Amino acid sequence: MSLAIRPAAPADDDAIWAILEPTFRAGETYPIPRDITRADALAYWRSPGHEVFVAEAEGRVLGTYYLRANNRGGGAHVANCGYVVAPEASGRGVARAMCRDSLERARQRGFRAMQFNFVIASNERAVRLWQSCGFSVVGRLPEAFAHPRLGLVDALVMVRNLSAAAGTI
């Protein structure tokens, strides 16, 4: 599969919503209200300060991510991202490709690290993926997420250094 990652355009909103909706409705991997409206979901994903990208193959959007500063002021040198892959593209390397792309874009923009603030610990596949991309678990928030099937589960804080000494992506 030849995957292209590019900045999202307003014309991509239908495709982005089609990817976000099943993930947000499931309520298992993002701390977003399960009944969020399309307008509110897109406003969240395209929040001021979020640079939004889409991953596409053969003209079809298979994933989306945003890149932003994790904080302002003294924390503005640390990046943050959110990623969602279309259910039918799961397991095809889309999330890994978006992560690699985001790490490179973050480095090019001068970020010194990337931090994931709230990785749901029960999302073991994502945790393994982020670890394989060089992220380390640096904190655990006990029972911080109300999972719709599993009850209260932990959330993880994960980080990766982006300096040249940290290695390749």
Side-chain angles (χ1 to χ4, degrees):
M1 171 177 64
S2 177
L3 193 66
I5 299 174
R6 62 170 174 77
D12 294 315
D13 281 357
D14 287 341
I16 291 171
W17 172 239
I19 292 168
L20 296 179
E21 184 180 24
T23 297
F24 289 176
R25 296 279 183 255
E28 296 183 356
T29 58
Y30 269 86
I32 300 294
R34 295 173 72 187
D35 62 351
I36 193 167
T37 65
R38 178 187 190 277
D40 287 346
L42 289 171
Y44 162 74
W45 204 251
R46 290 186 173 277
S47 293
H50 285 199
E51 189 175 0
V52 178
F53 298 88
V54 294
E56 64 182 356
E58 300 171 4
R60 183 146 186 243
V61 176
L62 301 176
T64 182
Y65 80 87
Y66 65 76
L67 171 65
R68 68 178 180 105
N70 194 46
N71 281 293
R72 300 183 318 187
H77 63 285
V78 178
N80 173 259
C81 288
Y83 312 84
V84 181
V85 174
E88 67 274 11
S90 180
R92 295 173 50 192
V94 176
R96 180 179 301 281
M98 290 192 302
C99 184
R100 286 182 175 157
D101 187 76
S102 69
L103 289 166
E104 184 56 37
R105 289 179 194 270
R107 185 178 285 129
Q108 289 171 0
R109 286 161 178 72
F111 288 109
R112 300 186 47 88
M114 186 176 290
Q115 178 176 317
F116 299 155
N117 302 316
F118 206 84
V119 179
I120 309 308
S122 59
N123 189 357
E124 295 171 355
R125 211 166 140 195
V127 173
R128 281 193 310 273
L129 173 60
W130 305 147
Q131 288 173 324
S132 76
C133 290
F135 286 83
S136 298
V137 174
V138 296
R140 179 176 289 269
L141 309 169
E143 298 184 344
F145 182 70
H147 192 285
R149 288 183 302 105
L150 304 175
L152 295 177
V153 298
D154 296 353
L156 307 175
V157 178
M158 301 183 77
V159 70
R160 177 186 163 152
N161 185 328
L162 296 179
S163 71
T168 59
I169 296 172

